[in-house]
Amino acid sequence: MELRLYDTLTKEKRTFVPLNPQDVRMYVCGPTVYDFAHIGNARPVIVFDVLFRLLRHLYGEAHVKYVRNITDVDDKINDRAARDFPGLPLNEAIRKVTEETGRQFHADVDALGALRPSVEPRATEHIGEMREIIEKLIAGGFAYVAEDHVLFSPQAMNAANSELPRYGALSNRSLDEMVAGARVDVAPYKRGNTDFVLWKPSKPGEPSWPSPAGIKAEGRPGWHIECSAMAWKHLGTHFDIHGGGIDLVFPHHENEVAQSCCAFHQSRMANYWMHNGFLQVESEKMSKSLGNFITIRDLLADWPGEVLRLNMLKTHYRSPIDWTLKSLEESGKTLDDWYRVAAVVPPGKPATSVIEPLLDDLNTPQTIAALHGLRNASDAAGLAASLRLLGFLSETAAQWEGRKRQASGVDASEIDRLISERTAARARKDFKESDRIRDQLAAMGVAIKDSKEGTTWEIAR
Ligand code: AMP
Ligand code: ZN
């Protein structure tokens, strides 16, 4: 069985051949830590967690390295810090914002059943590597200094007669069109209107570091160079998979490729570029102004993280996903059922029928259909092992049921009391009373089931 992955660069599914099967390497762009992560941010986290788990299954846990960075230097962070902690020096306020947001992010994605990546580098801990890459780019004639900025020139890259990729290849754009379409009111220090920032001066009070290229004023890095530096440090100059959301293809990933390939004189940065599609909510683009902006935290108040995880995986990662309450409710019911069946048996082996669709460019809708198949065939042990492989069943059946009771705000001892009253009514053949109690329970959202062993109950969602 071989793994096939869709590569955004070559626009085709190709058999995945790692550069070194003993050391499979993947980089995914992580969050900019200034606010609660929203449910759209959860999509790459969940999708690439499934890929990480699959790669570990195929190559062995010790042979897969997954790097997901934390962007902790950014204008949005500075703005947030100044707004939330006006009394503090800016740098202290920034540290508070990034530490607190980083903690929230971890708590959220842990609840979604995502494994921690092998390394989570922070941009501010890799400024030295960024300066080194910038120096190489200047020495190679791909970047230049202007008014204390360092700028990268895509035109210099495409003019170079070498093995380098073409700027624009990843995002399928032509540089000539980009030049023609660029804004005219471009910063005066830029030689070309598509040149982008590698390094810029810091404003007074902003975080700043010694600059490269002999620039006297202290400064800070541009966004794209951060990922080139962190990927290089932790995965080397050329690695297997680079991922992120589809919005990152241009300019972020196009610029990462340009920086890394020009600095290290190579034709590829990553062998497979993978991008998840966008998430919208109830058929509308999620935005703060529309009032339909949902954080992972909001959803976790109402739903177990595994329900969010299953709901996300019902759609193939490259398709857009429409996040709806209806679909969430269905995912909740499915997991209730799977927990009842699979969380009470020792797991067997993950089923081939579940793994095969994953090998076809992470076809998770097909994988979920296979899970339903196992359920219908009463293969509880296969279902249990397959669910665990996919990051489900982290709780026991009792924990799952108990959490549902808690979440729905019902008092279990009150329910037990009503059920014994109903049992007593039935014993004395007072069916009017026993029906009344059943209706009362139903109104509380509790469904009861009678069997030879007695009466059991569950929360009817
Ligand atoms: P950001 O913190 O905005 O840089 O985003 C972190 C990750 O979430 C990136 O991989 C983005 O592409 C991804 N992302 C942001 N919004 C959405 C969305 N609505 N749907 C899917 N992915 C998203
Ligand atoms: Zn990145």
Side-chain angles (χ1 to χ4, degrees):
M1 289 197 292
E2 55 178 31
L3 171 61
R4 288 165 62 79
L5 297 173
Y6 182 87
D7 178 10
T8 307
L9 177 65
T10 56
K11 297 173 198 62
E12 60 182 358
K13 265 191 232 177
R14 281 187 289 123
T15 300
F16 177 69
V17 183
L19 289 161
N20 174 2
Q22 300 295 310
D23 184 23
V24 180
R25 286 160 290 158
M26 169 162 84
Y27 186 94
V28 175
C29 294
T32 304
V33 282
Y34 67 99
D35 205 349
F36 282 113
H38 58 69
I39 187 63
N41 301 134
R43 193 166 193 199
V45 169
I46 293 172
V47 163
F48 291 103
D49 179 66
V50 169
L51 180 57
F52 182 37
R53 287 171 185 270
L54 179 65
L55 292 170
R56 283 157 52 108
H57 178 75
L58 297 173
Y59 296 95
E61 286 186 15
H63 302 296
V64 184
K65 188 168 183 188
Y66 172 22
V67 178
R68 185 182 64 211
N69 72 288
I70 290 178
T71 295
D72 58 353
V73 40
D74 187 272
D75 282 338
K76 288 186 288 256
I77 299 174
N78 301 347
D79 296 348
R80 182 74 183 217
R83 194 193 83 190
D84 287 4
F85 303 99
L88 283 184
L90 186 60
N91 281 311
E92 235 172 90
I94 286 171
R95 197 167 52 242
K96 272 193 184 298
V97 169
T98 57
E99 282 178 359
E100 182 52 28
T101 313
R103 260 196 302 277
Q104 288 160 355
F105 178 74
H106 277 144
D108 289 350
V109 302
D110 286 353
L112 296 174
L115 298 171
R116 293 282 178 100
S118 323
V119 190
E120 277 196 293
R122 289 175 171 268
T124 51
E125 288 163 5
H126 296 76
I127 305 286
E129 286 83 1
M130 296 179 209
R131 272 197 301 259
E132 256 185 85
I133 297 179
I134 292 172
E135 299 283 5
K136 287 180 198 293
L137 291 173
I138 295 173
F142 301 105
Y144 60 94
V145 178
E147 295 186 19
D148 290 346
H149 292 68
V150 184
L151 294 138
F152 183 95
S153 165
Q155 280 166 302
M157 174 180 175
N158 278 9
N161 187 9
S162 65
E163 294 291 294
L164 295 174
R166 180 177 60 76
Y167 185 85
L170 181 68
S171 56
N172 205 16
R173 289 158 197 243
S174 107
L175 186 53
D176 288 345
E177 279 166 24
M178 283 188 243
V179 170
R183 290 166 44 164
V184 278
D185 59 338
V186 75
Y189 48 81
K190 287 193 185 178
R191 288 183 195 162
N193 56 12
T194 57
D195 296 356
F196 62 87
V197 168
L198 298 172
W199 190 267
K200 59 189 167 189
S202 301
K203 298 195 193 83
E206 278 181 357
S208 66
W209 292 268
S211 294
I215 298 170
K216 296 230 165 44
E218 293 213 331
R220 58 196 179 109
W223 173 33
H224 318 302
I225 195 73
E226 297 175 8
C227 285
S228 282
M230 289 183 270
W232 173 41
K233 171 74 185 283
H234 297 283
L235 299 176
T237 56
H238 183 195
F239 50 93
D240 296 297
I241 299 170
H242 193 314
I246 189 85
D247 57 318
L248 298 185
V249 176
F250 189 86
H252 186 51
H253 289 166
E254 192 70 63
N255 292 352
E256 271 189 49
V257 180
Q259 294 161 161
S260 295
C261 290
C262 291
F264 305 117
H265 308 286
Q266 58 188 10
S267 59
R268 302 292 299 250
M269 176 188 191
N271 279 356
Y272 301 81
W273 284 87
M274 296 179 64
H275 295 99
N276 63 269
F278 243 47
L279 174 147
Q280 53 173 18
V281 172
E282 307 285 355
S283 308
E284 277 192 277
K285 185 178 157 46
M286 182 167 48
S287 82
K288 288 202 166 130
S289 57
L290 285 175
N292 63 351
F293 188 89
I294 326 176
T295 63
I296 303 175
R297 190 59 56 101
D298 291 338
L299 285 164
L300 286 173
D302 294 335
W303 302 94
E306 288 186 19
V307 173
L308 310 185
R309 185 178 177 88
L310 177 64
N311 202 50
M312 198 69 86
L313 296 175
K314 287 203 292 202
T315 305
H316 185 257
Y317 78 93
R318 281 193 284 123
S319 303
I321 181 169
D322 190 21
W323 189 265
T324 65
L325 180 61
K326 183 164 175 286
S327 171
L328 260 176
E329 285 169 349
E330 282 164 12
S331 302
K333 284 193 187 127
T334 301
L335 267 169
D336 289 345
D337 178 53
W338 288 349
Y339 258 93
R340 261 193 306 270
V341 175
V344 293
V345 297
K349 271 179 67 171
T352 314
S353 62
V354 167
I355 292 172
E356 255 172 3
L358 288 179
L359 297 174
D360 179 18
D361 193 33
L362 303 184
N363 188 344
T364 53
Q366 199 60 47
T367 294
I368 291 169
L371 292 168
H372 285 297
L374 295 173
R375 166 68 178 92
N376 294 338
S378 301
D379 180 359
L383 179 63
S386 305
L387 284 171
R388 283 176 205 278
L389 174 72
L390 289 162
F392 295 101
L393 290 197
S394 62
E395 297 182 13
T396 63
Q399 281 169 333
W400 185 264
E401 200 51 43
R403 176 224 276 275
K404 258 173 60 193
R405 289 174 190 189
Q406 227 175 19
S408 58
V410 301
D411 176 348
S413 62
E414 171 67 3
I415 294 170
D416 290 339
R417 190 185 64 76
L418 285 167
I419 288 178
S420 19
E421 269 186 24
R422 175 172 169 273
T423 309
R426 276 156 55 103
R428 61 173 193 269
K429 299 213 169 5
D430 183 353
F431 297 115
K432 207 168 147 212
E433 176 63 1
S434 73
D435 285 351
R436 189 196 63 74
I437 296 173
R438 176 189 281 267
D439 292 346
Q440 184 181 348
L441 285 164
M444 291 163 69
V446 175
I448 54 178
K449 210 156 135 191
D450 298 313
S451 70
K452 283 199 292 291
E453 287 77 36
T455 303
T456 55
W457 63 273
E458 64 178 30
I459 302 300
R461 278 199 211 272

